[in-house]
């Protein structure tokens, strides 16, 4: 009887554990614009917005001023925006654009396969929301709208 | 007497609301969007337009470079739709409204 109960509990717990592992953000190490290696898991404890973008993508460029604003506004609450761009892109265009807009968060250089680790769609931009435990909480395709930030990111920032 | 007056007032309000909603029309705007060169990026235009109160249907074609939007003109204007498109980083360059009025109740 006890064996049956233990087996039943194990069966119930199994999918929860499995889905927990599936939601864990992949361990990624990428170079930033200065050539320094940055580990994604170094940001554990923060609410990370992993923003896949490109200079050739107009909506990507359009949403970055909002990301800059939110990074400034919610840094003290633990928000960490990280931009990831990947070829085809020219490094000098990335540098010029991020400087012009005043990007106040790390920009990392990835590859298409970096993005594929997080999402199978090809929509640009794409923002992955990662919680303080390193779990992927949501994927936002297209521009991250202010109302989506309010609904999906703010509650995570309010949790300590 | 007071009760009768209240009932008449309530009926009048209801009548006004019904008439107002009957006059609300669904319009269709065909807006040319400049710069939509990638399918992957045009999803933002659809998303931003759908988030606007009063927008009922959105069809964005990056091949044709147009956004066809059905909207309730009591809630949103075509000028506002163009502003929303411009905020996505593209440019709403030309407006060509084919007004297709229909009772809002038909659209919903």
């Amino acid at each position: 009887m006890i064996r049956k109960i233990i087996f039943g509990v194990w069966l119930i717990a199994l999918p929860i554990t499995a889905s927990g592992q599936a939601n864990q953000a992949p361990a990624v190490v990428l170079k930033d614009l200065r050539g320094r290696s940055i580990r994604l898991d170094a940001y554990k404890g923060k609410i990370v917005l992993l923003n896949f973008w490109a200079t050739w993508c107009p909506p990507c460029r359009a949403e970055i001023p909002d990301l800059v604003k939110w990074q400034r506004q919610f840094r003290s609450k633990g928000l960490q925006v990280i931009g990831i761009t990947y070829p085809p892109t020219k490094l000098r265009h990335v540098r010029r654009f991020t400087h012009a807009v005043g990007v106040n968060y790390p920009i990392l250089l990835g590859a298409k396969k970096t993005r594929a680790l997080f999402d199978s769609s090809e929509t640009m931009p794409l923002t992955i929301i990662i919680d303080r435990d390193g779990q992927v909480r949501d994927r936002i395709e297209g521009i991250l709208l202010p109302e989506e930030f309010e609904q999906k990111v703010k509650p995570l920032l309010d949790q300590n | 007497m007071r009760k009768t007056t209240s009932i008449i007032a309530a009926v009048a309000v209801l009548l006004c609301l019904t008439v107002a909603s009957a006059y609300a029309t669904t319009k269709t705007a065909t807006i040319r969007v400049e710069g939509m060169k990638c399918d992957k990026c045009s999803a933002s235009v659809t998303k931003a337009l759908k988030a606007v109160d009063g927008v009922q249907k959105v069809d964005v074609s990056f091949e044709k470079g147009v956004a066809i939007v059905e909207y309730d003109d009591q809630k949103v204007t075509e000028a506002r739709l163009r502003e929303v498109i411009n905020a996505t980083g593209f440019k709403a360059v030309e407006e060509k409204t084919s007004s297709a009025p229909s009772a809002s109740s038909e659209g919903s």
Side-chain angles (χ1 to χ4, degrees):
Chain A
M1 180 64 180
I2 293 171
R3 269 189 191 173
K4 278 184 181 172
I5 292 169
I6 292 171
F7 183 66
V9 170
W10 179 76
L11 274 182
I12 292 166
L14 187 65
I16 297 167
T17 315
S19 72
Q21 283 170 347
N23 274 337
Q24 185 71 34
V28 172
V29 184
L30 296 171
K31 299 274 187 194
D32 70 5
L33 292 177
R34 292 180 184 176
R36 297 174 300 194
S37 290
I38 305 288
R39 297 177 61 90
L40 183 59
D41 59 13
Y43 294 97
K44 225 169 183 177
K46 293 185 180 290
I47 304 299
V48 174
L49 297 185
L50 209 58
N51 176 245
F52 289 89
W53 71 287
T55 52
W56 46 262
C57 157
C60 303
R61 295 197 304 267
E63 79 168 342
I64 284 180
D66 273 343
L67 296 175
V68 169
K69 182 185 76 184
W70 290 325
Q71 177 62 74
R72 186 172 53 241
Q73 205 172 337
F74 297 102
R75 184 192 299 272
S76 61
K77 284 195 144 191
L79 181 71
Q80 183 59 63
V81 181
I82 299 172
I84 298 183
T85 190
Y86 52 86
T89 193
K90 286 187 175 143
L91 206 54
R92 64 188 167 88
H93 290 170
V94 175
R95 285 204 176 99
R96 192 188 304 154
F97 175 76
T98 53
H99 181 73
V101 181
V103 168
N104 52 359
Y105 52 81
I107 297 292
L108 309 183
L109 305 169
K112 224 173 180 179
K113 64 180 181 185
T114 317
R115 184 202 157 109
L117 291 171
F118 293 88
D119 194 79
S120 57
S121 82
E122 293 199 346
T123 304
M124 287 288 271
L126 170 78
T127 302
I128 309 293
I129 303 173
I130 303 171
D131 70 14
R132 296 183 201 274
D133 297 322
Q135 302 282 313
V136 173
R137 297 292 288 261
D138 221 322
R139 293 167 176 81
I140 309 289
E141 290 185 23
I143 286 179
L144 175 59
L145 300 172
E147 46 268 40
E148 287 178 307
F149 184 86
E150 287 290 324
Q151 288 164 11
K152 298 181 174 180
V153 183
K154 280 283 283 295
L156 295 175
L157 291 168
D158 292 336
Q159 291 169 7
N160 282 313
Chain B
M1 180 62 185
R2 196 178 290 171
K3 197 177 175 184
T4 313
T5 313
S6 301
I7 291 170
I8 291 169
V11 169
V13 168
L14 205 67
L15 206 63
C16 285
L17 288 173
T18 311
V19 170
S21 70
Y23 274 101
T25 56
T26 297
K27 280 192 170 179
T28 303
T30 302
I31 303 170
R32 194 156 68 81
V33 185
E34 199 176 80
M36 276 200 307
K37 287 173 185 164
C38 72
D39 185 24
K40 301 158 197 167
C41 310
S42 58
S44 285
V45 178
T46 308
K47 182 179 172 180
L49 286 169
K50 279 185 175 171
V52 177
D53 186 30
V55 169
Q56 294 158 352
K57 196 177 168 194
V58 179
D59 185 10
V60 175
S61 165
F62 94 97
E63 293 100 339
K64 292 176 185 167
V66 292
I68 300 169
V69 190
E70 281 183 24
Y71 64 100
D72 179 347
D73 72 345
Q74 300 289 306
K75 291 183 176 172
V76 65
T77 62
E78 188 178 327
R80 174 70 191 132
L81 298 177
R82 277 185 274 116
E83 279 174 17
V84 169
I85 291 171
N86 289 337
T88 64
F90 297 108
K91 196 176 175 192
V93 285
E94 200 176 296
E95 56 184 304
K96 197 180 97 187
T97 306
S98 59
S99 184
S102 59
S104 64
S105 52
E106 286 173 22
S108 55

